Amino acid sequence: MTIATNQKDPETFWERNQHGSIVNKLHLNAFYDVLNRIYTDVLVQTAADCNEFRACATMIDRSKLENVILVVDRGYENYNIFAHAIEKGWKFAIRVKDKNSNGIASGLNLPPNDEFDIDITQIFWRINTKTTKNAGYKWMPVNQVFDYLQRKSDKTKQVNFTIAIYICREYLRNKRNLSPPDVINLIEKHVLPVRPGRKDPRKVNPQAAVSFLYRVA
């Protein structure tokens, strides 16, 4: 939506148009109920903050509608939107780019024919190693938004070696049905913070064993 020109407003400043004029804009995102012919939600973004993927996910999360079939064009081809719709319990039909393009379909093992009906399961992981690939995990880069996978933390942490050794030992003994990515996930859940520049380092005092006599009559 084009609004009044204001060169001093960096939030709405868009660009110079084909005639060389400065344009200020707002971006309108909306959900429309085609059966009842009404708008059910609207989210307005500034030009600087325009992100249709985020807007769609936000409107999905805050909607109170049930029994929804979300129908959107290929501009909303995004795994994060798929996940938000699934978590909401919505069905969805989203057009994707051709399998010979750079869209989602290009990374899938699809039949060569033009028409097909198949089920595809994707399991995402932030770690890209040979182990995770062999286990069937699809790598999700940290710069790609996916709200249901934690990004790399800004805080430096260290492994809790006591817990990590126990987890690895249980895995090697094959007492539990764990795959390598599950082992990594368990270790990541038991990490300790590293506090650079800490003047009073943590002091760990070993505890001596306490013996006692137990008399059985």
Side-chain angles (χ1 to χ4, degrees), residues 35 41 68 74 76 116 139-140 162 171-172 176 185 194 199 204 217:
L35 296 180
D41 198 358
V68 173
R74 58 188 175 188
Y76 293 86
F116 49 85
W139 178 48
M140 179 71 69
T162 302
Y171 168 69
L172 294 174
R176 299 181 181 180
N185 191 27
V194 175
K199 296 181 180 179
V204 179

Side-chain angles (χ1 to χ4, degrees), residues 29 36 38 57 70-71 73 84 103 118 159 176 183 208 214-215 217:
N29 305 272
N36 296 308
I38 58 173
L70 178 67
V71 181
D73 204 357
H84 277 266
I118 60 175
V159 173
R176 299 181 181 180
V183 172
Y214 188 81
R215 183 176 179 180

Side-chain angles (χ1 to χ4, degrees), residues 119-137:
D119 293 330
I120 297 176
T121 300
Q122 296 279 49
I123 304 176
F124 297 106
W125 196 255
R126 290 293 189 191
I127 300 174
N128 187 26
T129 64
K130 184 182 294 185
T131 302
T132 55
K133 287 181 180 178
N134 293 337
Y137 287 75

Side-chain angles (χ1 to χ4, degrees), residues 13-168:
F13 175 76
W14 189 256
E15 60 184 6
R16 294 182 182 273
N17 62 18
Q18 58 183 350
H19 304 293
S21 301
I22 295 175
V23 178
N24 290 72
K25 288 186 176 182
L26 295 174
H27 190 78
L28 176 67
N29 305 272
F31 276 176
Y32 183 73
D33 186 340
V34 295
L35 296 180
N36 296 308
R37 299 181 181 181
I38 58 173
Y39 287 96
T40 60
D41 198 358
V42 170
L43 194 154
V44 179
Q45 297 172 316
T46 63
D49 194 38
C50 178
N51 187 322
E52 291 181 333
F53 294 155
R54 174 53 57 196
C56 184
T58 299
M59 290 191 291
I60 290 174
D61 292 345
R62 71 188 187 187
S63 176
K64 300 185 183 301
L65 298 176
E66 298 179 353
N67 300 322
V68 173
I69 301 177
L70 178 67
V71 181
V72 295
D73 204 357
R74 58 188 175 188
Y76 293 86
E77 173 187 357
N78 180 266
Y79 279 122
N80 195 44
I81 292 178
F82 298 173
H84 277 266
I86 292 172
E87 289 296 315
K88 192 70 174 181
W90 288 7
K91 295 180 173 61
F92 55 91
I94 300 178
R95 188 161 71 115
V96 300
K97 297 177 183 177
D98 186 82
K99 59 185 178 182
N100 296 321
S101 67
N102 60 347
I104 289 177
S106 63
L108 302 177
N109 185 18
L110 301 176
N113 46 309
D114 294 333
E115 295 183 5
F116 49 85
D117 184 3
I118 60 175
D119 293 330
I120 297 176
T121 300
Q122 296 279 49
I123 304 176
F124 297 106
W125 196 255
R126 290 293 189 191
I127 300 174
N128 187 26
T129 64
K130 184 182 294 185
T131 302
T132 55
K133 287 181 180 178
N134 293 337
Y137 287 75
K138 182 177 178 61
W139 178 48
M140 179 71 69
V142 293
N143 62 347
Q144 188 168 342
V145 177
F146 192 80
D147 296 327
Y148 301 95
L149 275 182
Q150 184 178 4
R151 292 190 180 190
K152 186 177 180 180
S153 176
D154 295 333
K155 298 180 180 179
T156 304
K157 297 184 178 181
Q158 62 183 355
V159 173
N160 186 327
F161 291 102
T162 302
I163 301 297
I165 291 173
Y166 173 78
I167 293 172
C168 293

